Amino acid sequence: MVKARLLWVDDEIDLLKPYILFLEEKGYGTQCVNNGRDAIELCRSQRFDIVFLDEQMPGLSGLDTLVELHSSYPGMPVVMVTKSEDEGIMNRAIGKKIADYLIKPVNPNQVLMSIKKILEQDERMTEVLTQEYHDLFNLLIGEIEDCRTPDDWISVYKKLVLWELRLDQTQSPLREMLAVQKAEANRLFAKFIRKNYEQWIIGGTDGFGPDRPVLSTDLFERFVFPSVDKGEKLFFILIDNFRFDQWQVVKDVVGECFTCREDIYFSILPTATPYARNAVFSGLMPRRLSEMFPDCWVDESEDEGKNLHEELFIKSHLERHGRKCNFSYHKINRSLEGEKLVARFAELEKYDLNLLVFNFIDLLSHARTESRMIRELAPDESAYRSLTRSWFLHSPLPALLAKIAEKGYKAVLTTDHGSIRVKKGVKVLGDRETGVNLRYKVGKNLGYDPKRVFDIIRPENAGLPSPNMSTRYIFAVNDDFFVYPNNYNHYQSYYEDSFQHGGVSMEEMMIPVIFLEPRL
């Protein structure tokens, strides 16, 4: 039985054979590559318990390889191996959170001691986490069952996400226990939404308080207008389909430039871009938006793009609330577009308010459904978070945020909705005009089991358009998704474990909004 799987990266690969034989005799499986690029590629397809990384290599250096590995696999231990005793090199390596370092020539027993130290540390960490989680388990059950307000649910969701992130660093069976507990929380959260959602909408902004959360339509009033009213320049950055756990894995990067005041708000239903993002930018529920801008609202059955008028909605929103600030609006679908925007940063400084939409996470979510390669790169939530961090680090966002902070400007970083990894197909019936979204359906002839969905029979009570007198909306709850009976097994298999949005879950509805103040 192999005790652990090791990867050794060194351009002098022929000199490693004695070490490999020694480690294999001790029960450790070891693979070798002679450059950083191959190491990064190998880590994408295989899991290693420890990476031994030569500091001096041609091409991609050891430190540069370390940065790449740490950005994509922050929990993977890396041991730096170097010929140099230069203190500066070691300080930079340690600053990148290496697990250990060895100075050549390396004695095989030194390698063995390093392995044992790291693995035993992981075992101790697992033991501590196991004890802590067992101590908290029953308390969390009680908190989940006692949730009565949005703030209660926000508190529980934050704790569940925190534990997901902590357990990402281990192979503990507690991850399965936590998944079960989170599924139960989502079941009860759906009941909470069924009971309260329509009342939140009917009550409007007068319903603020413990019984009504901040919704998509309130975001500008809460997080944009206060800065505008003070005459402060503000950058409003919206990453489409950006979950709270995904924010947690990049917050350290943002925190290098800003102090972060994080909060959670509730996306309106459906938790999908045409509804939720338009509500953010317009400050209007979809029904009111369709009445005020009939030429801009696109019904579900139409193929036309449903987010083509965001700049108009922003302008109207500001004017309705008496804010006369000048603003710019930019939608970024590719890294090159973002890089060009950063290069033209001086132009953005002319505006009081700059609004930027980054679509990558949503594109990644859809690509993961369609692409086998992306599915293999992100088979679960942990890998999905890791892929998000990797994108974030290599996107134009860190450079943009650094510019904003350098100039002393404030920013809001948020999203329009989240997503959930779906598991179970629920059969529904619909006509040709019924939409294709897997987490919600809109139609006048829907057939479904009312016990398995959250249905809205009177769309006006939920602030939703009603193209026909008999239009109704249904939303998937928990980790379900909608499948038509024809060829059910094929679509169940095709969409299972894909990330979808539009329905009712903590991951889709409770989403981050972070106010950023530059560090002085």
Side-chain angles (χ1 to χ4, degrees):
M1 178 179 174
V2 176
K3 295 179 181 177
R5 302 182 70 253
L6 315 176
L7 174 63
W8 201 309
V9 190
D10 195 314
D11 60 311
E12 298 176 317
I13 202 164
D14 292 337
L15 303 180
L16 298 179
K17 290 181 181 178
Y19 296 95
I20 307 310
L21 292 173
F22 174 79
L23 291 171
E24 287 179 349
E25 287 177 3
K26 298 296 182 180
Y28 298 102
T30 308
Q31 286 186 249
C32 300
V33 293
N34 62 6
N35 64 83
R37 287 294 175 204
D38 286 351
I40 293 165
E41 287 299 317
L42 198 56
C43 286
R44 286 175 178 163
S45 59
Q46 300 182 42
R47 186 186 68 81
F48 295 98
D49 298 290
I50 303 174
V51 175
F52 287 86
L53 180 60
D54 184 29
E55 183 267 320
Q56 295 182 344
M57 292 187 295
L60 195 67
S61 72
L63 285 175
D64 290 338
T65 304
L66 175 62
V67 171
E68 293 272 353
L69 291 174
H70 182 63
S71 68
S72 298
Y73 315 99
M76 185 170 61
V78 176
V79 177
M80 185 66 78
V81 184
T82 178
K83 294 178 181 177
S84 172
E85 296 186 43
D86 184 292
E87 187 176 347
I89 292 175
M90 284 300 97
N91 286 339
R92 289 199 299 277
I94 291 169
K96 299 299 181 184
K97 300 180 181 179
I98 58 171
D100 199 2
Y101 70 90
L102 302 172
I103 297 176
K104 293 181 178 180
V106 178
N107 185 295
N109 282 317
Q110 288 178 288
V111 177
L112 186 60
M113 287 177 63
S114 182
I115 292 170
K116 287 185 174 181
K117 181 174 68 174
I118 292 168
L119 295 181
E120 286 173 5
Q121 185 181 37
D122 286 347
E123 290 172 6
R124 286 196 299 273
M125 181 188 296
T126 300
E127 289 174 6
V128 170
L129 286 175
T130 299
Q131 186 59 53
E132 286 185 21
Y133 184 70
H134 278 303
D135 291 343
L136 187 68
F137 183 79
N138 289 329
L139 291 175
L140 261 177
I141 290 176
E143 285 189 44
I144 291 168
E145 292 177 347
D146 290 341
C147 281
R148 297 290 182 271
T149 70
D151 284 345
D152 291 341
W153 278 109
I154 288 172
S155 175
V156 161
Y157 182 49
K158 284 182 175 180
K159 289 177 182 177
L160 290 169
V161 168
L162 171 64
W163 273 100
E164 278 188 314
L165 297 173
R166 293 186 71 183
L167 294 177
D168 272 355
Q169 303 171 31
T170 75
Q171 298 303 312
S172 172
L174 292 179
R175 293 172 70 171
E176 294 182 13
M177 289 179 61
L178 180 62
V180 171
Q181 196 166 44
K182 192 175 181 185
E184 174 62 10
N186 257 326
R187 186 184 70 81
L188 294 176
F189 179 74
K191 291 181 67 174
F192 173 76
I193 294 299
R194 281 192 184 101
K195 181 179 179 181
N196 294 283
Y197 185 76
E198 290 188 23
Q199 190 56 48
W200 293 343
I201 305 305
I202 293 170
T205 55
D206 294 336
F208 275 134
D211 297 327
R212 183 188 186 276
V214 175
L215 298 174
S216 307
T217 50
D218 311 317
L219 218 55
F220 270 37
E221 182 178 345
R222 285 299 185 93
F223 296 97
V224 174
F225 291 164
S227 290
V228 169
D229 293 344
K230 293 176 186 175
E232 300 171 337
K233 286 189 184 294
L234 183 71
F235 285 76
F236 185 90
I237 302 169
L238 188 148
I239 303 175
D240 192 11
N241 198 7
F242 188 52
R243 305 193 315 192
F244 183 68
D245 61 331
Q246 292 171 303
W247 154 247
Q248 293 300 312
V249 299
V250 301
K251 67 187 293 185
D252 64 313
V253 182
V254 180
E256 293 177 3
C257 301
F258 294 93
T259 58
C260 305
R261 190 174 78 239
E262 69 180 32
D263 205 342
I264 285 181
Y265 83 95
F266 279 55
S267 170
I268 65 161
L269 295 174
T271 48
T273 301
Y275 296 87
R277 197 159 85 205
N278 280 336
V280 168
F281 286 141
S282 70
L284 300 169
M285 290 299 294
R287 185 180 185 88
R288 181 66 177 140
L289 187 64
S290 68
E291 293 169 348
M292 287 183 62
F293 300 93
D295 294 336
C296 299
W297 184 261
V298 179
D299 289 336
E300 283 285 331
S301 58
E302 299 178 35
D303 293 331
E304 184 183 342
K306 298 174 176 60
N307 282 82
L308 302 178
H309 306 284
E310 291 172 344
E311 190 168 1
L312 171 63
F313 297 156
I314 294 165
K315 182 174 184 293
S316 172
H317 192 177
L318 294 172
E319 289 175 350
R320 285 199 325 273
H321 288 82
R323 270 68 180 194
K324 298 181 180 180
C325 63
N326 60 337
F327 74 94
S328 74
Y329 166 80
H330 308 269
K331 188 181 294 186
I332 297 98
N333 293 314
R334 296 182 301 162
S335 288
L336 183 60
E337 295 169 357
E339 291 167 4
K340 289 181 178 178
L341 194 66
V342 174
R344 296 187 289 107
F345 188 81
E347 295 179 23
L348 301 181
E349 293 184 273
K350 300 175 184 176
Y351 298 94
D352 303 318
L353 175 63
N354 290 285
L355 303 108
L356 305 97
V357 175
F358 284 81
N359 274 335
F360 178 82
I361 301 294
D362 195 52
L363 296 173
L364 172 64
S365 175
H366 292 299
R368 189 188 176 284
T369 302
E370 305 296 334
S371 168
R372 179 177 296 178
M373 181 185 71
I374 298 294
R375 282 199 182 202
E376 290 177 356
L377 286 174
D380 56 24
E381 280 85 354
S382 178
Y384 194 49
R385 288 188 284 269
S386 179
L387 203 56
T388 300
R389 180 179 173 86
S390 182
W391 163 75
F392 190 91
L393 286 169
H394 297 91
S395 77
L397 267 169
L400 173 65
L401 291 169
K403 283 274 191 183
I404 295 169
E406 178 188 338
K407 295 292 186 176
Y409 303 139
K410 295 179 180 179
V412 172
L413 181 65
T414 190
T415 187
D416 47 0
H417 58 77
S419 63
I420 187 171
R421 186 160 62 117
V422 296
K423 295 288 187 181
K424 301 182 290 274
V426 173
K427 293 180 182 179
V428 298
L429 296 172
D431 57 26
R432 294 182 190 176
E433 296 182 357
T434 304
V436 298
N437 192 285
L438 298 180
R439 290 282 290 172
Y440 75 94
K441 298 292 182 187
V442 184
K444 58 185 178 181
N445 295 307
L446 298 176
Y448 57 92
D449 180 355
K451 295 179 181 179
R452 297 291 304 273
V453 308
F454 170 38
D455 57 350
I456 293 179
I457 298 172
R458 296 181 178 83
E460 63 274 14
N461 289 348
L464 293 170
S466 182
N468 297 283
M469 290 292 292
S470 56
T471 293
R472 64 178 57 189
Y473 291 71
I474 61 172
F475 302 93
V477 298
N478 311 324
D479 55 6
D480 295 345
F481 63 98
F482 293 139
V483 183
Y484 294 122
N486 296 340
N487 214 357
Y488 171 88
N489 290 331
H490 167 73
Y491 288 108
Q492 165 68 43
S493 175
Y494 186 78
Y495 289 112
E496 183 180 7
D497 283 328
S498 65
F499 287 88
Q500 303 293 336
H501 57 84
V504 177
S505 69
M506 297 183 296
E507 294 92 327
E508 290 164 289
M509 291 191 73
M510 288 195 283
I511 47 180
V513 53
I514 304 97
F515 193 79
L516 307 176
E517 295 196 49
R519 292 188 179 277
L520 300 177

